[in-house]
Amino acid sequence: MNPLIVKSVITDDELPVRRTLRSMLSSLPEVTVVGEAGNVTEGLDLIAEQKPDLIFLDIKMPIRSGFELLDELTRQQQFYGVIFVSGYPDDALTAVQKAAPHLHSDFVVKPIDPLILKDKFRLFYTKWRADKEHEIELTLQLEKAFSQNPELAALSGPRFLTFQNSVALHRIEVADIMYCESANKQINVYCSKQEHLNVPNLTLDSLEKLLPADHFVRIGKSHILNKGAISYLEKGARPKCRLVLGNRVRELLIYASNVWKVEESYS
């Protein structure tokens, strides 16, 4: 079985450091560097384009710091593995605190010791691989759990999905899902007939593939909405969407940049 490969990006304003990192990482078969950025703006664009698993991040950079990049990702509810590479070891505690919402964080001091870098990557990889293998296994279980209803043959997906968390197994009707939300390293599934379910180790990308595209719409990085449940959209500085299904009413805030997707779902 081929090893799972970590996609990584490097954001550092010093070209020699980027070259050194890339060279050191080239000796590790489990990681590939898919891009480099010399500042925070380029880093955010690169991350949005490549959707990496791991970010090697400098802290002290001109104009905007690595902490600001991380704050922006957190605000957008985009979570990654982060290994800070910095010449300021006193920033290590603040770095770990800033990265707390993310999947993994660590700190490497410049000048970079290749053995320390390797050890830090191995720590990330062990955790990341376990999560990825669990996600693959869970996705396979979901696919096997599909139960088709002949009366709903027109649907491009299953009638039921089975979700399992640490304490229980839930079998829910797809049509009963109001929306799904990615938050705090898990998926929250909100339904009309029961309280929301917390499903760990499942990504919104994986769940999106399982839901019928003609009945659900992806809104940005964090939400999938049941088109039939959307009843109200409030625009403005803080847009929000109201969903109604059965006797249940739920509201959620959305980014202004995603309003058009909600509007388009009405057509």
Side-chain angles (χ1 to χ4, degrees):
M1 178 178 175
N2 294 329
L4 295 170
I5 304 299
V6 171
K7 289 174 57 178
S8 69
V9 299
I10 300 170
T11 298
D12 194 301
D13 63 305
E14 299 179 84
L15 178 59
V17 174
R18 299 201 303 270
R19 287 177 173 172
T20 297
L21 264 173
R22 183 183 280 272
S23 176
M24 290 180 178
L25 293 171
S26 67
S27 66
L28 301 174
E30 301 89 356
V31 60
T32 181
V33 177
V34 296
E36 301 176 14
N39 57 55
V40 169
T41 301
E42 292 176 359
L44 289 170
D45 290 342
L46 178 62
I47 291 166
E49 176 187 348
Q50 294 293 339
K51 298 179 176 60
D53 305 299
L54 178 62
I55 303 168
F56 291 93
L57 181 62
D58 188 18
I59 296 176
K60 305 288 187 182
M61 290 183 283
I63 304 177
R64 302 171 72 187
S65 72
F67 289 157
E68 291 179 81
L69 180 145
L70 209 58
D71 286 341
E72 178 63 20
L73 293 177
T74 302
R75 187 188 70 80
Q76 296 176 9
Q77 293 191 341
Q78 298 182 43
F79 303 107
Y80 303 91
V82 182
I83 295 181
F84 294 95
V85 182
S86 173
Y88 300 87
D90 291 344
D91 287 335
L93 179 58
T94 303
V96 171
Q97 291 172 338
K98 286 281 188 182
H102 289 259
L103 305 180
H104 176 92
S105 66
D106 216 323
F107 198 96
V108 174
V109 178
K110 297 177 183 176
I112 305 166
D113 183 321
L115 294 179
I116 292 177
L117 178 67
K118 180 178 179 180
D119 288 343
K120 298 292 187 180
F121 173 76
R122 293 294 184 195
L123 286 173
F124 166 78
Y125 185 73
T126 299
K127 179 181 178 181
W128 174 85
R129 183 181 61 187
D131 288 347
K132 187 65 65 174
E133 289 175 347
H134 184 81
E135 177 189 326
I136 293 171
E137 180 183 355
L138 185 57
T139 301
L140 290 174
Q141 290 175 356
L142 289 173
E143 291 172 346
K144 290 179 181 178
F146 288 172
S147 176
Q148 299 289 346
N149 185 330
E151 296 178 1
L152 299 178
L155 289 179
S156 58
R159 182 184 177 191
F160 293 98
L161 291 179
T162 300
F163 294 104
Q164 183 173 0
N165 58 25
S166 59
V167 296
L169 185 144
H170 300 271
R171 182 174 181 263
I172 61 176
E173 190 172 359
V174 169
D176 187 48
I177 297 175
M178 300 180 75
Y179 72 94
C180 307
E181 176 183 51
S182 174
N184 298 323
K185 308 176 188 178
Q186 67 180 13
I187 300 298
N188 296 325
V189 182
Y190 294 84
C191 303
S192 69
K193 298 177 183 177
Q194 56 187 307
E195 292 303 315
H196 77 273
L197 311 176
N198 305 116
V199 186
N201 300 314
L202 180 68
T203 66
L204 210 63
D205 289 340
S206 297
L207 182 57
E208 182 181 15
K209 295 175 184 177
L210 304 177
L211 295 171
D214 50 345
H215 286 257
F216 289 85
V217 58
R218 176 77 175 263
I219 303 297
K221 298 286 186 181
S222 303
H223 295 93
I224 299 175
L225 311 185
N226 184 334
K227 294 180 182 180
I230 300 172
S231 68
Y232 174 78
L233 173 64
E234 181 176 311
K235 303 181 183 181
R238 290 178 60 83
K240 65 180 179 180
C241 181
R242 181 181 301 150
L243 298 102
V244 179
L245 196 61
N247 296 322
R248 181 84 68 169
V249 179
R250 298 187 186 274
E251 288 190 348
L252 70 151
L253 296 174
I254 60 176
Y255 289 117
S257 59
N258 293 322
V259 166
W260 70 272
K261 291 187 179 180
V262 179
E263 292 181 304
E264 192 176 66
S265 70
Y266 280 100
S267 59

